[in-house]
Amino acid sequence: MSSISYSAHLKPDPWLRIIVLTAGRLTFAAGMVLILTIDIAALLRGFAALLWLGCAKFELTRLQRGFSSCTAIRVHFDGRIEVRNPDGQWCSGVLMGGSLLLRKFAWLRLRPAAGPPVSELIAGNIREDHDWRRLQVIWRHVGASP
């Protein structure tokens, strides 16, 4: 295989998306409980709770829009990123700060050229999945570049 065609093709897992959304909802619920139990004036608690609720709605909506706008991710050998939208079209993207690749999991934060930002939790097994292995190699190669 030539290095020009070397890329990792990743498909988001619907169950991992459910886990991420559930974790987000639980985190915001826990924050709301914490805010409502703080020993401060009721007016300040109410304002903080409304602010927290607004932030939660904004973040969860943004996360959901990103999920619905991404059906696949392609990472090329030179670090280029492409995101496939629901229409099947590939558009270029940028890997954002906060992305992380571990042995079995990756948290990818992407900004496609068109559409909302995408945050995806991806799982893989280096022994069974060739694309996951390619992603590991590409990540090390691009990360080592100056």
Side-chain angles (χ1 to χ4, degrees), residues 15-123:
W15 286 105
L16 290 177
R17 287 178 168 181
I18 290 169
I19 290 171
V20 169
L21 285 172
T22 302
R25 289 181 183 121
L26 290 173
T27 300
F28 286 117
M32 185 64 77
V33 168
L34 181 65
I35 289 169
L36 294 175
T37 58
I38 293 176
D39 188 23
I40 57 174
L43 185 61
L44 285 176
R45 265 194 315 237
F47 178 72
L50 286 176
L51 186 63
W52 183 254
L53 188 63
C55 289
K57 176 75 172 154
F58 174 77
E59 289 296 330
L60 289 173
T61 302
R62 190 172 80 164
L63 190 62
Q64 186 65 45
R65 276 197 325 251
F67 285 166
S68 63
S69 71
C70 174
T71 60
I73 299 167
R74 189 182 297 152
V75 181
H76 293 275
F77 74 98
D78 58 359
R80 286 182 300 120
I81 306 285
E82 291 181 314
V83 177
R84 187 173 66 196
N85 64 21
D87 298 331
Q89 298 173 337
W90 290 95
C91 66
S92 64
V94 176
L95 188 68
M96 295 170 38
S99 297
L100 178 69
L101 179 67
L102 302 173
R103 186 170 171 84
K104 295 191 180 208
F105 291 99
W107 178 253
L108 301 177
R109 297 183 64 233
L110 310 168
R111 182 173 306 277
V118 176
S119 298
E120 286 287 351
L121 180 63
I122 308 283

Side-chain angles (χ1 to χ4, degrees), residues 6 8 125-138 140:
Y6 195 78
N125 186 333
I126 200 166
R127 294 178 188 228
E128 298 172 3
D129 186 357
H130 295 292
D131 284 312
W132 188 256
R133 187 176 316 135
R134 286 187 193 115
L135 178 64
Q136 298 277 337
V137 171
I138 291 168
R140 273 189 246 127

